[in-house]
Amino acid sequence: MKIILLAFSLIFFMSGCVGTNPALTYKKTDIKKHGLYSQEVESIYINYIAFSDESVKNIFKKVKQLPAKIIVTDFVDMTSLNNCTKLGYVFSNNIKNSIINNYDIDVIEAEVSKYFKISDNGIKILSRDIKKLRSTSFNIKYAVVGTYTYSHNELIVFVKLINLKTGVIKGSYAKAFPMGEGTKMMLYNK
């Protein structure tokens, strides 16, 4: 009897460790129209504010002294390094908001190097070569860089805190989300 009780306790404990954090997502009922008929469909949405707060807290976890200034790039598709979607803007702006509201760090919103570009598509790092990013022409030690990838069923987001002087990743966070209708709309609409 004790073994069965222990097994059930272990199953419930382990099931709590797997799955989506309910604070990071929420469900919403949408109406989909099919000609003359309508259908209610439950979809999962990302709580961008909760995700940003959690990711920022995690990437700063091992930093002994918080930087005075930081730059946050737009989140880009990890395959193309382009941001042509609303999703990249929403992620980066929520990260900026989280840093500003929770830490005493200035978030720089300007072109600070020839390897950072501000365009109609937002701020981008224009190189994967960290040597090019080790510039002495600006006094910013850290950058928060975000990438994402997706499939039909899943969105995976990566957030990294990179020391621009050394190229060392000081903090990293990754989260997978089920692909909901809201996320699809943000990915496919500019």
Side-chain angles (χ1 to χ4, degrees):
M1 183 66 170
K2 287 182 182 180
I3 293 174
I4 293 173
L5 185 58
L6 180 63
F8 278 119
S9 297
L10 187 59
I11 289 170
F12 285 117
F13 173 74
M14 293 303 284
S15 66
C17 297
V18 179
T20 303
N21 181 345
L24 298 181
T25 59
Y26 61 93
K27 292 183 181 182
K28 183 178 169 186
T29 302
D30 295 320
I31 305 295
K32 285 201 169 195
K33 294 188 178 190
H34 305 283
L36 298 174
Y37 301 99
S38 297
Q39 178 184 8
E40 287 187 4
V41 177
E42 192 173 75
S43 189
I44 295 175
Y45 288 82
I46 298 170
N47 182 340
Y48 296 103
I49 294 169
F51 167 78
S52 298
D53 288 345
E54 184 172 297
S55 61
V56 167
K57 182 177 110 184
N58 278 284
I59 64 171
F60 286 148
K61 203 184 297 185
K62 292 184 178 179
V63 177
K64 301 217 186 302
Q65 182 177 357
L66 292 176
K69 295 184 248 177
I70 199 165
I71 188 163
V72 179
T73 65
D74 283 338
F75 282 45
V76 295
D77 182 296
M78 67 188 302
T79 305
S80 66
L81 295 181
N82 284 324
N83 178 31
C84 301
T85 68
K86 290 180 183 178
L87 187 68
Y89 297 121
V90 169
F91 277 131
S92 67
N93 283 310
N94 276 292
I95 292 288
K96 291 172 192 174
N97 187 56
S98 180
I99 292 170
I100 290 166
N101 289 323
N102 297 311
Y103 298 90
D104 188 22
I105 299 173
D106 292 334
V107 176
I108 305 302
E109 180 83 62
E111 185 177 40
V112 294
S113 162
K114 66 181 180 178
Y115 298 106
F116 290 95
K117 177 183 175 190
I118 298 176
S119 69
D120 292 342
N121 292 330
I123 299 173
K124 296 180 189 149
I125 291 181
L126 300 177
S127 176
R128 287 188 180 198
D129 183 355
I130 197 66
K131 290 177 187 170
K132 291 180 180 177
L133 299 176
R134 290 184 193 145
S135 173
T136 57
S137 64
F138 60 95
N139 192 21
I140 297 176
K141 186 175 180 180
Y142 288 102
V144 176
V145 178
T147 56
Y148 59 85
T149 189
Y150 58 94
S151 67
H152 181 69
N153 298 321
E154 185 176 54
L155 171 73
I156 304 170
V157 185
F158 304 92
V159 184
K160 294 178 183 157
L161 178 66
I162 301 174
N163 181 321
L164 294 175
K165 304 296 183 199
T166 64
V168 173
I169 297 172
K170 298 300 286 184
S172 183
Y173 179 77
K175 188 71 181 171
F177 294 100
M179 182 64 80
E181 289 301 313
T183 304
K184 287 178 185 175
M185 287 175 24
M186 304 249 309
L187 277 169
Y188 302 125
N189 293 328
K190 295 181 181 178

